[in-house]
Amino acid sequence: MPSRFLKLVNMELSNGTKSIGALVENDRKVVDLCALEPNIPRDMKSFLNGGMKLLNLASHTLNQNISTNSIEISQVRVKAPIYDPEKIICIGLNYKEHAIETKMPFPSEPIVFSKYSNCIVGPNDNILAPRSILKDELDYEVELVVVMGREARNVSKEEALEFVAGYTVGNDVSARDWQLKRSGTQWMLGKTFDTFAPIGPAILVNPLMLANNSGACANDFDPNSLNVKCTVNGNVLQNSNTKEFIFNIQEVISHLSKVMTLKPGDIIFTGTPSGVGLGKSPPVYLKNGDIVTCEIENIGQLVNKVKDI
């Protein structure tokens, strides 16, 4: 049976072919959309550049073929949903409780920094920790990630969600010693080591972008009201809801679009809730072999293992 929402994955088949698939059967199976519809690009960024036309084509293709064309998810390799965004934009201190635990004042406007595409890895990929240059202060941050679907410049808060292709799960991995203890503080460098931006497994397509809402009313999905959780080795360390945003998704997109043109495939990390390792007493940091699971309601679970190098 189809998912309540259209959830797309960037995948590699057993023969090495790249494709875009749609998750079905409670995310246990996937339908290869590119094999069924030649007009669907095999690259997610190219697909998103096609806008609502291709999103609706994917939805139609899935609905016409779901009963006979699904395969077990274990038969494909699910990769990062987007590996080459033009921009990776991050919002800092965007949950009230997180600002409190880090002893920082609530920002009066979004705090913005960047990552680069070298940081991106997908589900089940390793988070690499180069311990020769890192102290043992490697931290986790579960985040809702916005995937842009239309070019956005100077958009209002009221129209902002209409420019969103969908949402995925992210982990803003952070080397706290680099971020906070080096000269002048180094937010960007502390968060921009290779593999420090796991994302995935799927993009939950914004129902506003679909003509038929993929079987669900657009009002059924509110990105500003989603349960967000992070576990390390099965222990729950972050457990919150995007209702706790200081700046909601609409405010973030509108603010950013006044500074830069947001493009299809750009991704926005929207901040992390309380419970990060830095905020615990004593601090709890990631070590070699730890399994980090970031989970967001309706979207899915992103699982990565820490590996020292």
Side-chain angles (χ1 to χ4, degrees):
M1 59 184 294
S3 170
R4 183 163 167 245
F5 300 101
L6 177 60
K7 295 200 287 187
L8 301 177
V9 294
N10 180 26
M11 63 186 188
E12 185 176 297
L13 307 178
S14 58
N15 62 4
T17 301
K18 295 178 175 60
S19 191
I20 292 174
L23 295 179
V24 295
E25 301 289 345
N26 296 318
D27 299 352
R28 293 182 294 104
K29 293 187 176 182
V30 64
V31 174
D32 184 351
L33 298 176
C34 297
L36 298 169
E37 173 51 67
N39 290 315
I40 294 178
R42 293 183 177 274
D43 172 73
M44 188 69 77
K45 190 172 174 182
S46 299
F47 173 79
L48 293 176
N49 271 304
M52 294 182 67
K53 179 179 179 180
L54 286 184
L55 286 169
N56 280 287
L57 178 60
S59 179
H60 176 76
T61 301
L62 174 64
N63 291 333
Q64 294 298 309
N65 293 279
I66 188 173
S67 60
T68 58
N69 290 279
S70 63
I71 57 177
E72 296 292 331
I73 195 70
S74 59
Q75 296 182 33
V76 304
R77 180 188 175 194
V78 178
K79 308 182 75 174
I82 294 177
Y83 57 87
D84 59 347
E86 180 182 282
K87 293 183 283 295
I88 303 173
I89 307 164
C90 305
I91 307 300
L93 295 177
N94 200 27
Y95 285 73
K96 300 180 184 72
E97 293 173 349
H98 179 51
I100 291 170
E101 74 177 347
T102 56
K103 299 179 174 58
M104 296 184 183
F106 291 2
S108 58
E109 61 183 34
I111 295 174
V112 181
F113 61 97
S114 300
K115 287 179 180 273
Y116 298 99
S117 58
N118 65 292
C119 302
I120 292 179
V121 290
N124 301 311
D125 290 335
N126 289 328
I127 298 168
L128 301 178
R131 297 296 183 180
S132 61
I133 55 175
L134 293 178
K135 294 182 180 178
D136 293 328
E137 297 183 9
L138 188 65
D139 213 343
Y140 51 86
E141 292 190 5
V142 60
E143 305 206 11
L144 175 66
V145 176
V146 174
V147 181
M148 297 303 297
R150 293 170 55 196
E151 187 170 297
R153 176 67 176 165
N154 286 322
V155 302
S156 68
K157 290 182 286 188
E158 291 72 23
E159 63 181 338
L161 293 184
E162 299 173 11
F163 291 80
V164 174
Y167 307 87
T168 192
V169 184
N171 184 355
D172 176 16
V173 181
S174 305
R176 298 301 187 192
D177 52 316
W178 278 70
Q179 178 191 358
L180 301 172
K181 297 180 180 179
R182 297 178 78 88
S183 177
T185 70
Q186 295 285 346
W187 273 53
M188 189 189 72
L189 286 181
K191 293 169 172 281
T192 315
F193 284 79
D194 293 344
T195 75
F196 273 25
I199 56 172
I203 296 172
L204 185 151
V205 173
N206 178 8
L208 293 172
M209 297 287 279
L210 299 175
N212 64 356
N213 290 327
S214 192
C217 175
N219 293 331
D220 286 348
F221 184 83
D222 181 1
N224 300 303
S225 182
L226 295 173
N227 292 322
V228 177
K229 183 167 66 174
C230 178
T231 67
V232 177
N233 303 326
N235 299 312
V236 178
L237 299 181
Q238 292 182 283
N239 194 5
S240 187
N241 190 286
T242 57
K243 289 179 181 178
E244 302 302 317
F245 279 148
I246 295 173
F247 304 101
N248 67 24
I249 300 299
Q250 296 95 313
E251 291 169 323
V252 167
I253 292 173
S254 179
H255 179 76
L256 293 173
S257 75
K258 291 176 170 60
V259 178
M260 65 193 82
T261 302
L262 302 173
K263 299 290 187 68
D266 285 352
I267 61 176
I268 305 170
F269 281 70
T270 58
T272 198
S274 61
V276 298
L278 172 68
K280 296 186 181 300
S281 183
V284 176
Y285 291 123
L286 298 173
K287 61 185 184 300
N288 186 50
D290 281 350
I291 305 296
V292 186
T293 303
C294 296
E295 181 176 1
I296 298 181
E297 179 183 4
N298 290 323
I299 301 176
Q301 289 187 340
L302 172 67
V303 182
N304 302 95
K305 184 177 182 178
V306 178
K307 182 179 180 181
D308 288 359
I309 58 173

